[in-house]
Amino acid sequence: MESRKDRTMDDNSDTVSEKTRRFEEVADMRAKAEPAAWTDSMLQALVEGVKGGKWHSLIDKVWKPATLERAYERVKSNGGAPGADHQTIEDVERHLESNLERLSAELQDGTYEPGPVRRTWIPKPGKAEKRPLGIPTVTDRVVQMACHLVLEPIFEYGFAERSYGFRPGRGAKDALRQVQDLLEDEHHWVVDADLKSYFDTIPHDRLLEQVEEEVSDSRILELIEMFLEQEVVDGDERWQPDKGTPQGGVISPLLANIYLDPLDHLMAEKGYEMIRYADDFVILCESREEAEQALATVQQWTDAAGLVLHPDKTQLVDARSEEGFTFLGYQFHKGLREPRNKAKRSFRDEIRARTPRGDGRSLEAIIEDVNTVTKGWFEYFKHSFWNVFPELDGFIRRRLRAIRRKRLGMSGSVSQKDNTRWSNTFFANLGLFSMTKAREALVQSLF
């Protein structure tokens, strides 16, 4: 029979365990939260629960000078073009102290109003079509960043485990690693989903309702609503959006994650293996029947949430097939993982742009420039199947040999003799980064 002493020891053990868990959670959130905006007492309240279940007084954390200063530093480090007022980051920095003081005062007395968002269009990689990018003014980006620094820990604490985009301490490689693990665990049937114009179609009223589930500070809610309803300027056209949050807005990724978080939790509760990075997600299943059920669940949720699954881009696929599926730049097919064709085309285009035949720089300078591209590209795609890299390394060397031929007044294309005349070793001695060699070194380091 269990004694009172034994029961007391168990109770104490449970208490210690709970305290340890809370201590670890506070430490984890401390690593993610911005110290300028979040104190230890706030983090403790985040883990233990705030009174009434909602956060009330937050606007004073936004207008705090330390928060605005840190927000400006983050905006500056991100760079970016000027907004509709044509003010650059350098323009704002010339009178930084007075600009931040003005922003703080306007946020305190309620007179702050964001300016218009300048819309620009950027090419979609590998496609003729373009996608819209909304660029707020620099000062509006500072205010959005200050809001982001204050709000992010509140929502980050409850975000689902399997979302990876725009979250502190997480990234695309974590999502790709999870996908690979599931494929190796026989989850071969995949729901390859695509939300049609997600950032432009988020319903404002429903998004604000989700924010209000955690935040009751009316001033913060008013700020978010103003950000969502900022006038958009595109050339001579001007309009006020009634839905969506602009890609390019500092706070948009957080808001986008907030709106899709219920879907993440729903799928996890139903036992589906959904991996999401921003608006890009896949669901890995053990059978076609399970994949069909998962897709039906997503379809039902998106219909209710006012979102649309792209009818032509959402499909069920077998990852073992020739076609397979793509996710975050990779193509998964036939048990292999490699860069999708679009990524390889973009890489070649970037190399071509940096290696014109008439380039007047020294070969060493050209190689140094090329290396900035290859090293970054390899770092992201280094876990691809081995045969990807020799082909692309060869393409780079052909471009460099063509430059050598041009300088020597030689006409025609690169020949086999040129491969001997300017060998692989010749370029390696000049410092050319070899993705093939780097891949071999990576594999050796794993054993």
Side-chain angles (χ1 to χ4, degrees), residues 62-214:
V62 173
W63 74 51
K64 190 168 65 170
T67 305
L68 290 173
E69 288 170 9
R70 181 60 183 137
Y72 171 76
E73 291 171 4
R74 294 275 290 269
V75 168
K76 180 181 178 181
S77 67
N78 291 338
D85 64 354
H86 306 295
Q87 271 204 322
T88 65
I89 292 173
E90 292 74 21
D91 292 334
V92 173
E93 184 155 343
R94 287 191 190 96
H95 306 284
L96 182 60
E97 185 175 349
S98 60
N99 281 328
L100 294 185
E101 286 177 357
R102 174 182 55 79
L103 276 180
S104 179
E106 290 178 355
L107 288 165
Q108 288 185 62
D109 62 26
T111 59
Y112 167 77
E113 288 187 13
V117 171
R118 180 172 69 86
R119 172 165 283 193
T120 187
W121 295 83
I122 60 175
K124 288 186 175 182
K127 295 183 179 179
E129 59 185 297
K130 297 183 178 182
R131 66 181 178 91
L133 190 68
I135 304 177
T137 66
V138 176
T139 52
D140 287 343
R141 298 206 295 267
V142 171
V143 177
Q144 286 194 26
M145 180 61 78
C147 285
H148 177 94
L149 296 177
V150 171
L151 291 175
E152 183 179 57
I154 295 172
F155 294 95
E156 174 64 27
Y157 184 68
F159 276 159
E161 180 63 27
R162 293 292 182 81
S163 70
Y164 295 92
F166 306 109
R167 294 183 58 186
R170 291 167 169 250
K173 289 185 178 180
D174 300 304
L176 291 164
R177 191 176 300 114
Q178 188 65 55
V179 168
Q180 186 64 45
D181 288 346
L182 288 166
L183 289 172
E184 292 174 0
D185 195 35
E186 306 298 321
H187 288 69
H188 296 303
W189 280 96
V190 180
V191 179
D192 186 6
D194 185 279
L195 288 170
K196 190 174 182 180
S197 303
Y198 171 61
F199 279 82
D200 292 332
T201 58
I202 302 173
H204 289 173
D205 54 349
R206 300 180 193 182
L207 172 58
L208 287 167
E209 286 173 6
Q210 285 183 225
V211 176
E212 287 181 50
E213 290 179 7
E214 301 289 343

Side-chain angles (χ1 to χ4, degrees), residues 330-342:
Y330 274 91
Q331 182 179 18
F332 296 84
H333 66 145
K334 300 183 298 184
L336 304 175
R337 182 168 80 173
E338 61 182 315
R340 62 190 302 187
N341 290 333
K342 185 190 299 184

Side-chain angles (χ1 to χ4, degrees), residues 18-23 25-26 29 38 40-55 157:
E18 178 63 16
K19 286 182 177 179
T20 300
R21 181 189 66 78
R22 291 185 177 182
F23 177 82
E25 289 183 351
V26 170
M29 293 308 300
W38 278 79
D40 279 354
S41 60
M42 290 173 66
L43 292 171
Q44 195 73 36
L46 177 65
V47 172
E48 296 181 355
V50 291
K51 187 176 180 180
K54 294 186 179 184
W55 290 82
Y157 184 68

